[in-house]
């Protein structure tokens, strides 16, 4: 690898690290943890949001191992934000759905995040924000493609 590529790689990962740190500071209103918000948001935006979602499908969407998701769901259930039921077709499978309280809590967090995003977008400017989002999406796609090629034993090119 050339020195310039190595320097760019380090700069990219520093920028990603700084971005991840900034993301971890996005306000959610204090009612939900980040993982709780992500979980409720996945359920809220599930293609059939009125139907329960399999816990295994939820864990896959969250890219989180099953045991961690189960603990998280237990906490959300105790707080009345979700309900879990056994799948009638497959009794080994558990399904999860938002309660009305869960929808409301997620909605409040989305509103808080939206207010924050509006401030960020105003400071960034519409044109630069559109450019950034386009390039970020492109970079993410390339990174996923390279990772998939490596997972399949392919080359880095």
């Amino acid at each position: 690898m050339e020195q310039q590529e190595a320097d760019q790689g380090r700069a990219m990962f520093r920028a990603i690290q700084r971005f991840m740190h900034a993301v971890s500071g996005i306000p959610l209103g204090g009612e939900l943890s980040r993982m709780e918000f992500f979980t409720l948001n996945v359920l809220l935006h599930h293609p059939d949001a009125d139907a329960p979602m399999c816990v295994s499908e939820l864990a896959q969407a969250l890219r989180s191992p099953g045991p961690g998701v189960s603990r998280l769901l237990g906490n959300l259930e105790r707080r009345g934000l979700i309900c879990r039921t056994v799948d009638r077709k497959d009794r080994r499978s558990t399904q999860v759905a938002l309660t009305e309280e869960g929808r409301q809590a997620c909605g409040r967090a989305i509103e808080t995040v939206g207010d924050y995003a509006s401030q960020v977008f105003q400071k960034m400017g519409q044109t630069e924000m559109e450019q950034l989002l386009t390039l970020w999406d492109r970079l993410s796609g390339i990174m996923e493609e390279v990772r998939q090629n490596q997972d399949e034993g392919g080359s880095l090119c």
Side-chain angles (χ1 to χ4, degrees), residues 129-146:
M129 198 68 212
E130 288 173 2
Q131 291 171 342
L132 173 65
L133 293 174
T134 298
L135 290 171
W136 194 268
D137 188 55
R138 182 170 174 230
L139 176 63
S140 297
I142 290 168
M143 291 173 75
E144 288 168 354
E145 180 183 327
V146 169

Side-chain angles (χ1 to χ4, degrees), residues 84-135:
R84 291 188 282 188
T85 56
V86 174
D87 188 338
R88 292 181 204 151
K89 297 175 188 170
D90 180 0
R91 304 215 30 94
R92 297 170 296 165
S93 180
T94 302
Q95 296 181 321
V96 61
L98 283 174
T99 62
E100 186 54 36
E101 293 85 9
R103 286 181 193 283
Q104 290 174 8
C106 190
R108 288 188 294 273
I110 288 171
E111 190 174 319
T112 301
V113 170
D115 291 344
Y116 175 84
S118 291
Q119 292 176 42
V120 170
F121 294 167
Q122 284 178 341
K123 285 185 175 273
M124 186 76 173
Q126 182 176 349
T127 302
E128 284 188 312
M129 198 68 212
E130 288 173 2
Q131 291 171 342
L132 173 65
L133 293 174
T134 298
L135 290 171

Side-chain angles (χ1 to χ4, degrees), residues 63 140-156:
R63 295 186 176 142
S140 297
I142 290 168
M143 291 173 75
E144 288 168 354
E145 180 183 327
V146 169
R147 187 187 69 236
Q148 183 177 4
N149 286 343
Q150 288 177 332
D151 290 347
E152 294 171 357
S155 69
L156 296 176

Side-chain angles (χ1 to χ4, degrees), residues 20-80:
M20 295 303 293
H21 180 73
V23 166
S24 71
I26 294 175
L28 297 174
E31 187 176 354
L32 301 171
S33 72
R34 264 185 222 308
M35 200 62 188
E36 290 170 342
F37 171 67
F38 293 149
T39 302
L40 296 182
N41 201 41
V42 166
L43 292 169
L44 184 67
H45 293 99
H46 183 254
D48 189 0
D50 293 329
M53 186 176 191
C54 290
V55 171
S56 59
E57 183 182 358
L58 178 61
Q60 184 177 11
L62 294 170
R63 295 186 176 142
S64 184
V69 171
S70 291
R71 281 190 300 278
L72 176 68
L73 293 176
N75 185 35
L76 291 170
E77 188 174 37
R78 281 188 292 283
R79 291 169 49 204

